[in-house]
mmCIF file of all heavy atoms in Angstrom:
data_model
loop_
_atom_site.group_PDB
_atom_site.id
_atom_site.type_symbol
_atom_site.label_atom_id
_atom_site.label_comp_id
_atom_site.label_asym_id
_atom_site.label_seq_id
_atom_site.Cartn_x
_atom_site.Cartn_y
_atom_site.Cartn_z
ATOM 1 N N GLU I 203 -4.643 3.297 -13.826
ATOM 2 C CA GLU I 203 -5.344 2.842 -15.038
ATOM 3 C C GLU I 203 -5.209 1.335 -15.202
ATOM 4 O O GLU I 203 -6.181 0.647 -15.551
ATOM 5 C CB GLU I 203 -4.782 3.536 -16.279
ATOM 6 C CG GLU I 203 -5.130 4.989 -16.401
ATOM 7 C CD GLU I 203 -4.381 5.690 -17.534
ATOM 8 O OE1 GLU I 203 -3.616 5.014 -18.266
ATOM 9 O OE2 GLU I 203 -4.559 6.900 -17.684
ATOM 10 N N GLN I 206 -7.446 -0.337 -12.722
ATOM 11 C CA GLN I 206 -8.844 -0.209 -13.157
ATOM 12 C C GLN I 206 -9.160 -1.254 -14.230
ATOM 13 O O GLN I 206 -10.204 -1.898 -14.196
ATOM 14 C CB GLN I 206 -9.098 1.211 -13.691
ATOM 15 C CG GLN I 206 -10.477 1.437 -14.264
ATOM 16 C CD GLN I 206 -11.539 1.786 -13.246
ATOM 17 O OE1 GLN I 206 -11.268 1.883 -12.058
ATOM 18 N NE2 GLN I 206 -12.754 1.961 -13.697
ATOM 19 N N GLU I 207 -8.243 -1.428 -15.171
ATOM 20 C CA GLU I 207 -8.444 -2.422 -16.226
ATOM 21 C C GLU I 207 -8.519 -3.827 -15.654
ATOM 22 O O GLU I 207 -9.369 -4.628 -16.056
ATOM 23 C CB GLU I 207 -7.317 -2.326 -17.262
ATOM 24 C CG GLU I 207 -7.367 -1.063 -18.089
ATOM 25 C CD GLU I 207 -6.106 -0.824 -18.908
ATOM 26 O OE1 GLU I 207 -5.219 -1.711 -18.946
ATOM 27 O OE2 GLU I 207 -5.993 0.263 -19.510
ATOM 28 N N PHE I 210 -11.812 -4.164 -13.770
ATOM 29 C CA PHE I 210 -12.929 -4.266 -14.712
ATOM 30 C C PHE I 210 -13.019 -5.670 -15.300
ATOM 31 O O PHE I 210 -14.113 -6.207 -15.467
ATOM 32 C CB PHE I 210 -12.786 -3.222 -15.818
ATOM 33 C CG PHE I 210 -13.933 -3.229 -16.784
ATOM 34 C CD1 PHE I 210 -15.173 -2.746 -16.409
ATOM 35 C CD2 PHE I 210 -13.780 -3.728 -18.063
ATOM 36 C CE1 PHE I 210 -16.251 -2.751 -17.293
ATOM 37 C CE2 PHE I 210 -14.838 -3.737 -18.959
ATOM 38 C CZ PHE I 210 -16.080 -3.251 -18.573
ATOM 39 N N THR I 222 -16.800 0.516 -20.599
ATOM 40 C CA THR I 222 -15.389 0.142 -20.706
ATOM 41 C C THR I 222 -14.708 0.301 -19.347
ATOM 42 O O THR I 222 -15.291 0.870 -18.418
ATOM 43 C CB THR I 222 -14.662 1.029 -21.730
ATOM 44 O OG1 THR I 222 -14.619 2.375 -21.216
ATOM 45 C CG2 THR I 222 -15.346 1.014 -23.092
ATOM 46 N N ALA I 223 -13.467 -0.153 -19.282
ATOM 47 C CA ALA I 223 -12.705 -0.005 -18.039
ATOM 48 C C ALA I 223 -12.566 1.464 -17.656
ATOM 49 O O ALA I 223 -12.558 1.808 -16.476
ATOM 50 C CB ALA I 223 -11.333 -0.649 -18.185
ATOM 51 N N LYS I 224 -12.486 2.342 -18.647
ATOM 52 C CA LYS I 224 -12.336 3.779 -18.356
ATOM 53 C C LYS I 224 -13.625 4.416 -17.840
ATOM 54 O O LYS I 224 -13.582 5.380 -17.093
ATOM 55 C CB LYS I 224 -11.862 4.520 -19.606
ATOM 56 C CG LYS I 224 -10.416 4.255 -19.927
ATOM 57 C CD LYS I 224 -9.957 5.141 -21.057
ATOM 58 C CE LYS I 224 -8.529 4.825 -21.379
ATOM 59 N NZ LYS I 224 -7.652 5.939 -21.272
ATOM 60 N N THR I 225 -14.781 3.883 -18.242
ATOM 61 C CA THR I 225 -16.043 4.515 -17.870
ATOM 62 C C THR I 225 -16.757 3.814 -16.713
ATOM 63 O O THR I 225 -17.704 4.362 -16.166
ATOM 64 C CB THR I 225 -17.002 4.564 -19.075
ATOM 65 O OG1 THR I 225 -17.275 3.224 -19.516
ATOM 66 C CG2 THR I 225 -16.406 5.376 -20.209
ATOM 67 N N ALA I 226 -16.292 2.636 -16.339
ATOM 68 C CA ALA I 226 -16.973 1.861 -15.300
ATOM 69 C C ALA I 226 -16.654 2.394 -13.905
ATOM 70 O O ALA I 226 -15.532 2.802 -13.621
ATOM 71 C CB ALA I 226 -16.556 0.407 -15.395
#
Side-chain angles (χ1 to χ4, degrees):
E203 289 171 3
Q206 176 84 1
E207 291 168 7
F210 183 72
T222 67
K224 287 187 182 238
T225 61

